[in-house]
Amino acid sequence: MNTFSRLAIIGVGPSAIYLLNHLVRCAEHFDPTLTDIYLFDKRTRLGVGMPYARSTTDKQNLCNISSAEMPRLDISLVDWLHSLSDSQLAFQGIQRCEIDEDQTYCRITLGDYFHNQYTALVKAVRSRGVNVHEFPRCQITDVIDHQPPGDIEVRFGDDDRVVVDRVVIATGHSFDTSDEPSAGYFASPWPMQKLIPNEDEFCNFEIGTLGASLSAFDVVASLSHRHGSFATRDGQLAFEASPGSEGFKIILHSSEGCLPHLQYEQVEPFREIYRHVDRGTLMAIRDDTGCLSLDEYFHQVCRPALATAFKKDARNDIVELLGLEHFPLEDFIAKMSDEHTADDPFSLMRSEMPEANRLLRKGIPIHWKETLDDLMFTLNFHFDMLAAEDHLRYRKVIVPFLMNVIAAIPLHSAQIILALHDAGKLELISGTVTVKKKTEGKTLIEVESCDRIIEREYRMFVDCSGQESVDFKSFPFKSLADRGTVSEAVAGFRDRSCVEHLTETERTRVVNRDGRPALRLGGIAIDGYYRVIGEDGSSNERIYDIAFPHATGARPYSYGLQACDAAASIVVQAWCERANAVSELTTDLAAVTEAYNDLTAPS
């Protein structure tokens, strides 16, 4: 038996909630040894999370996930909404007749739901005799791993500390705070309140965003509702600007020149690690060095699964292409991207709206998108097996495709986009953006597209390019980094000669590891159980890190609530296995992934 009595969780958002949920489900493995849980969060209200907190998001910001897609807690989001009184629903801006499991709601509503479920989980933990210590408004200053004797010291406040046996870092998203308001430059849209003008004031000028992602549409939704009103006319949503805001306009800058796809129906709303391939098959297609190549993964796993999906979608043309002996990953992406590319992306979105409405209304899924999402979810938990070349290829080729084609926005958000465009208040410019200069009152950018370079100035420019991996030098718990308890995430190159063909920027990320070149991935090294890996290459069974900015170098597709739930489930699964083990858990990925087969069905 190997159990622990004192657990600290740093960050109390959705990941921590799902961790508590799995702890309660597996309580028999921890009774009566687990005596104390310490919960730390820098916000006043525990159990909410940055994307859903009233202090960071806005009532106009919608989720892109429905109740049916959310991992189950004590009760579902829809059941919780039904339990509210009419006045409580009115506070949420929801009518009882609108409650539906396929509906999407504003993020603040999800934050209130998560807080409610967090409260229920804490009550359940306490009912089992565990002391739960809550520390709101608490900034952790350091984490120190004392080995021996194996205690972990968590420091906070001026000189406060607790000593525990296990730590889970679940700090979630961490937005860039290097804003320069005097130049109208904002390194991220969060907290959204910083962008919203005072009441009766307007941003009577053009506003630029870097990216046309979901977070860019949060900016669009928040600002447009402060500069006018929406109403349905002749069956379509229309926007009317407020008097005095005639100069208000938003320009989206997208490198690919695309708007995201529209919300689509799914057969199985929950992702599973081994839905389209079993673990044995995945292990068997590795090469002699233990590496899994993207080409083999696409050929052996993706092509047959996608062919089945496209057949269900009556796309026999794609089925035929997937059956060709030579039809590489890049050709598939190019083919499907072309279908979502147009000179006028707003016209394309408008043309897609009737069909998207029809499919959702009749519950008809788009199988290939759902299948591809599943396949990327599977790959996410096996990125340890990819060489550096394929890490680079994934980020260059696959990520833009996933963001433009698989990332979906609710139909209501699309209606807002089209209404603003029709009113001349929203445009999109394609091309790669470089911020050239930030001066008093304006930000100058350069846009390069098709051998053409233009410059634009903005009084407000917001970087909506999304959450990046934390730079290892910026890892927040300095003692863990300085003492080598954590290490930088890297991947070795399969072929040394590949380094010669990297771009200048890519070469800055190449380091020497044991005499061979390796690629710095961003974030910290973690193993298959989310245990941190030290400079000596060993996994630390006392410290786990499931914070997306820390883990995204090693797990680049691990965003969203379902990924939060999966990571939490894997950590608790590791503890359950360790509780009954006579020796330490293995660090070999092939062996670690055996635990993935044992994960409980999605909650």
Side-chain angles (χ1 to χ4, degrees), residues 238-347:
F239 177 77
E240 183 174 344
S242 299
S245 68
E246 289 78 12
F248 166 73
K249 186 175 183 177
I250 298 178
I251 310 295
L252 307 171
H253 287 275
S254 165
S255 59
E256 305 294 327
C258 297
L259 294 169
H261 262 194
L262 302 173
Q263 178 185 357
Y264 59 93
E265 184 73 15
Q266 301 181 64
V267 178
E268 296 286 349
F270 293 102
R271 306 282 75 87
E272 291 182 10
I273 295 180
Y274 293 127
R275 171 163 284 148
H276 297 288
V277 60
D278 61 78
R279 175 185 166 278
T281 299
L282 199 57
M283 296 297 113
I285 62 176
R286 296 177 298 165
D287 64 21
D288 293 340
T289 67
C291 284
L292 173 69
S293 75
L294 276 181
D295 287 328
E296 280 301 301
Y297 185 70
F298 179 70
H299 178 68
Q300 300 282 2
V301 179
C302 298
R303 292 221 294 184
L306 287 169
T308 299
F310 277 110
K311 187 174 183 179
K312 293 177 181 177
D313 291 328
R315 289 296 307 270
N316 291 328
D317 57 326
I318 308 298
V319 175
E320 290 181 9
L321 290 173
L322 289 167
L324 296 176
E325 182 177 352
H326 182 72
F327 185 64
L329 172 64
E330 279 79 1
D331 286 2
F332 169 74
I333 288 177
K335 171 63 178 175
M336 302 315 298
S337 296
D338 286 345
E339 295 186 5
H340 189 60
T341 303
D343 293 335
D344 184 354
F346 295 97
S347 294

Side-chain angles (χ1 to χ4, degrees), residues 392 396 498-510 519-520:
L392 287 169
K396 282 182 179 179
C498 288
V499 177
E500 301 172 8
H501 305 290
L502 299 181
T503 66
E504 184 177 343
T505 301
E506 291 168 344
R507 287 182 184 177
T508 64
R509 295 166 53 193
V510 177
L519 181 73
R520 297 167 55 236

Side-chain angles (χ1 to χ4, degrees), residues 237 262 349 353 409-420:
L237 197 66
L262 302 173
M349 176 176 281
M353 281 287 287
I409 59 172
L411 296 191
H412 181 65
S413 296
Q415 292 168 351
I416 289 174
I417 289 167
L418 294 176
L420 288 168

Side-chain angles (χ1 to χ4, degrees), residues 134-332:
E134 297 175 286
F135 294 86
R137 301 181 302 279
C138 182
Q139 186 72 47
I140 302 300
T141 57
D142 207 354
V143 176
I144 303 171
D145 183 25
H146 295 293
Q147 185 186 10
D151 292 335
I152 306 164
E153 184 181 334
V154 180
R155 294 184 177 180
F156 57 97
D158 293 331
D159 194 29
D160 295 316
R161 65 196 67 196
V162 297
V163 176
V164 296
D165 311 301
R166 294 283 189 280
V167 167
V168 178
I169 299 169
T171 46
H173 291 278
S174 57
F175 45 83
D176 194 333
T177 57
S178 58
D179 298 337
E180 297 184 36
S182 63
Y185 175 82
F186 297 93
S188 85
W190 315 111
M192 189 63 66
Q193 288 77 4
K194 69 186 178 184
L195 306 179
I196 299 172
N198 296 326
E199 191 172 355
D200 299 326
E201 293 182 2
F202 298 117
C203 301
N204 207 11
F205 45 81
E206 287 189 346
I207 298 165
T209 72
L210 176 57
S213 62
L214 300 178
S215 57
F217 294 129
D218 287 337
V219 174
V220 169
S222 291
L223 292 181
S224 62
H225 280 86
R226 268 72 177 191
H227 290 80
S229 58
F230 293 88
T232 301
R233 297 173 186 164
D234 299 325
Q236 287 191 334
L237 197 66
F239 177 77
E240 183 174 344
S242 299
S245 68
E246 289 78 12
F248 166 73
K249 186 175 183 177
I250 298 178
I251 310 295
L252 307 171
H253 287 275
S254 165
S255 59
E256 305 294 327
C258 297
L259 294 169
H261 262 194
L262 302 173
Q263 178 185 357
Y264 59 93
E265 184 73 15
Q266 301 181 64
V267 178
E268 296 286 349
F270 293 102
R271 306 282 75 87
E272 291 182 10
I273 295 180
Y274 293 127
R275 171 163 284 148
H276 297 288
V277 60
D278 61 78
R279 175 185 166 278
T281 299
L282 199 57
M283 296 297 113
I285 62 176
R286 296 177 298 165
D287 64 21
D288 293 340
T289 67
C291 284
L292 173 69
S293 75
L294 276 181
D295 287 328
E296 280 301 301
Y297 185 70
F298 179 70
H299 178 68
Q300 300 282 2
V301 179
C302 298
R303 292 221 294 184
L306 287 169
T308 299
F310 277 110
K311 187 174 183 179
K312 293 177 181 177
D313 291 328
R315 289 296 307 270
N316 291 328
D317 57 326
I318 308 298
V319 175
E320 290 181 9
L321 290 173
L322 289 167
L324 296 176
E325 182 177 352
H326 182 72
F327 185 64
L329 172 64
E330 279 79 1
D331 286 2
F332 169 74

Side-chain angles (χ1 to χ4, degrees), residues 117-138:
Q117 295 300 285
Y118 163 77
T119 302
L121 283 165
V122 167
K123 183 178 180 180
V125 172
R126 284 177 171 152
S127 72
R128 303 192 71 93
V130 179
N131 300 308
V132 179
H133 312 269
E134 297 175 286
F135 294 86
R137 301 181 302 279
C138 182

